[in-house]
Amino acid sequence: GVDVALYGRHAGDFGPEHQPYDVGFTGASNHKYPLRESILATVREMGATSSLRSYLGTWSQTSLAASHNRSWKALSRTEYAAQISRAKMWVSTTGPENIVGTRYFEVLASGTTLLLCNRPPPNAWVYEGLFDDGVHAVFFSSMDELREKILYYRSNEPARQRIVKAAYERSRQMHSWEARAKFITAVAEVLLAKPPGALPR
């Protein structure tokens, strides 16, 4: 879930004065994350060849222990939410075992920033029921497709904003902490209504 009030506090703040970055990314990046390494290389290359403006906050396990480290992790939650809102698009990838991390929901709830995420393997239940490709987020399967989607949505603001607004509404309806609490409560009420012994321990 996500704190929609916090991460969506800049919702609707579009335009170059508020969004100086085309693409943003934060997260661990090393040989354990080959997909992230490819994404970062692609975004950096695009910055050199097509004037793409990016915010890339990455770190390794060694930098996490450095007392002088000034990476994005030093930001407060409020500053981090503001940083997400400053990018037109944000790339997030699934973790080990196709885990969907909290950053997905933070970007979806921003109301400013388009979520770009890796397409799951065929027949894998990953994003199903959470958000849909082309409706709430944009999926990619290769670096060529990522490059194509970045260039398309950088120059097609109406299409980008349509998806961002749908993602924000989906977050308010389904992914807020209030919505999660209601869902868990409803499940618990159904189970508690069953007669004793109806469920395995």
Side-chain angles (χ1 to χ4, degrees):
V2 64
D3 183 343
V4 176
L6 171 64
Y7 285 92
R9 66 189 307 174
H10 301 285
D13 288 349
F14 301 114
E17 68 284 350
H18 183 74
Q19 295 191 299
Y21 301 107
D22 295 309
V23 178
F25 172 89
T26 52
S29 174
N30 53 42
H31 66 280
K32 294 180 181 179
Y33 301 96
L35 175 59
R36 293 180 185 178
E37 291 287 287
S38 296
I39 289 167
L40 291 170
T42 298
V43 171
R44 289 184 180 117
E45 176 195 341
M46 292 180 73
T49 60
S50 66
S51 70
L52 187 82
R53 297 158 300 168
S54 62
Y55 173 82
L56 305 177
T58 65
W59 69 89
S60 65
Q61 290 300 317
T62 54
S63 71
L64 287 175
S67 60
H68 64 278
N69 182 25
R70 302 251 184 251
S71 72
W72 78 271
K73 76 183 183 65
L75 296 174
S76 68
R77 284 200 327 145
T78 301
E79 292 169 332
Y80 171 54
Q83 191 62 46
I84 289 174
S85 77
R86 292 186 186 111
K88 292 181 179 180
M89 295 165 270
W90 201 273
V91 185
S92 192
T93 65
T94 47
E97 304 302 322
N98 290 316
I99 293 172
V100 178
T102 56
R103 191 166 294 113
Y104 280 79
F105 301 105
E106 293 161 355
V107 177
L108 290 169
S110 69
T112 54
T113 306
L114 175 66
L115 173 65
L116 298 170
C117 53
N118 57 303
R119 187 175 280 109
N123 304 316
W125 185 93
V126 179
Y127 306 140
E128 190 174 334
L130 299 176
F131 48 86
D132 301 308
D133 186 16
V135 179
H136 313 104
V138 173
F139 300 177
F140 62 90
S141 295
S142 67
M143 293 308 102
D144 285 342
E145 187 177 10
L146 173 63
R147 187 180 292 105
E148 175 187 319
K149 297 285 176 73
I150 288 173
L151 292 174
Y152 175 77
Y153 286 103
R154 183 172 72 159
S155 62
N156 194 330
E157 189 65 8
R160 185 184 78 85
Q161 288 190 25
R162 174 181 51 79
I163 295 174
V164 167
K165 290 171 183 175
Y168 178 68
E169 288 306 315
R170 171 60 70 96
S171 297
R172 289 178 39 164
Q173 295 167 7
M174 291 184 59
H175 302 315
S176 69
W177 288 120
E178 181 181 10
R180 288 285 189 268
K182 287 179 179 177
F183 175 78
I184 293 169
T185 300
V187 171
E189 287 173 345
V190 169
L191 296 177
L192 291 171
K194 293 185 178 292
L199 297 171
R201 291 187 62 182

